[in-house]
Amino acid sequence: MSTSRYSEIESNNDQRLNTLANKLATFRGINEDINQQAVNDGSLLNQLNDSFTIMANNITDSASRLTRAMGMGNGIWKMVGLALLIFFIIYTLFKLF
């Protein structure tokens, strides 16, 4: 083979190598983007978990305070609570239908 043929093959190989290097750089960029998005999503999920835990604790505390308040008073608290419960049930039913 002649020197020009070798230089042509070498040039072709260099071009393919550059194309492959560009594709690899693109894949690395995509991989880094996916990794960053996964880290951000994990952080968001942790924040949501903390928020729901706090909300569940607040609901539990409110329910226990309501139970104590209804137990301390006379029957009026039970009637008010029952009336509110019935009101919200009826309101929800009318809202759905």
Side-chain angles (χ1 to χ4, degrees):
M1 293 188 140
S2 67
T3 306
S4 65
R5 178 72 178 142
Y6 284 126
S7 64
E8 183 183 331
I9 291 173
E10 187 67 28
S11 174
N12 193 9
N13 284 342
D14 287 342
Q15 183 182 7
R16 287 182 179 176
L17 183 62
N18 288 336
T19 303
L20 186 60
N22 289 337
K23 287 180 182 178
L24 183 60
T26 302
F27 287 137
R28 283 184 180 159
I30 291 171
N31 187 24
E32 289 174 5
D33 291 343
I34 290 171
N35 183 36
Q36 186 61 40
Q37 188 65 38
V39 168
N40 292 342
D41 289 347
S43 174
L44 178 64
L45 287 174
N46 287 338
Q47 290 173 355
L48 285 173
N49 186 31
D50 293 343
S51 296
F52 278 114
T53 301
I54 290 170
M55 183 180 67
N57 289 338
N58 288 340
I59 289 172
T60 303
D61 292 343
S62 296
S64 65
R65 285 194 305 264
L66 179 63
T67 302
R68 280 195 315 254
M70 289 181 75
M72 288 180 175
N74 51 18
I76 191 71
W77 287 110
K78 291 180 183 177
M79 290 175 18
V80 169
L82 184 62
L84 286 173
L85 179 66
I86 291 171
F87 171 77
F88 284 119
I89 289 173
I90 292 172
Y91 175 76
T92 304
L93 288 175
F94 277 116
K95 191 175 180 180
L96 290 176
F97 300 108

